[in-house]
Amino acid sequence: QVQLVESGGGLVQPGGSLRLSCAASGRFFSINTMGWYRQAPGKQRELVATITSGGSTNYAGSVKGRFDISRDNAKNTVYLQMNSPNPEDTAVYYCNAAVVLRALGIRRESDYWGQGTQVTVSS
């Protein structure tokens, strides 16, 4: 079984900074793309940022230039550095990973989600 465990959420003031972490554990062959998504009350879940195993990144327009996604492949961990957040960034942030499992010599990619961590931006 694969688990994604997020940490680092909480209350942050506008203009401050916060770092989220998400560590994958369990039995798997490798991890392809990892990413962060968020869901604000009454809104649909939306993409924040993704990063491939090779380090290529993709950001939502609303966070580009303020947030930074990175990963440590040796630790199976993805990070989200949130700089200069504003109240509109308040949401539950979810980690996502495209995990490659191997059974009977066959590799198969499956999508996994973390349990979510609350980020509140307020003074």
Side-chain angles (χ1 to χ4, degrees), residues 27 101-108:
R27 296 188 64 179
L101 307 175
R102 184 170 63 181
L104 300 176
I106 299 173
R107 300 177 190 176
R108 178 173 54 89

Side-chain angles (χ1 to χ4, degrees), residues 26-80:
R27 296 188 64 179
F28 49 85
F29 180 76
S30 63
I31 303 177
N32 289 334
T33 299
M34 302 184 81
W36 291 94
Y37 293 72
R38 67 186 182 187
Q39 186 166 18
K43 294 188 177 181
Q44 289 189 331
R45 189 174 298 188
E46 63 176 6
L47 179 144
V48 176
T50 61
I51 183 168
T52 68
S53 57
S56 296
T57 58
N58 179 53
Y59 294 91
S62 59
V63 307
K64 204 168 187 178
R66 299 188 296 122
F67 292 5
D68 181 46
I69 189 171
S70 61
R71 66 190 281 175
D72 185 332
N73 291 331
K75 296 181 179 179
N76 297 315
T77 299
V78 63
Y79 306 95
L80 185 69

Side-chain angles (χ1 to χ4, degrees), residues 1 12 15 19 32 50 59 68 72 76 85 92 110 118-119:
Q1 185 72 342
V12 60
R19 190 193 198 202
N32 289 334
T50 61
Y59 294 91
D68 181 46
D72 185 332
N76 297 315
V92 177
S110 295
Q118 176 69 47
V119 173

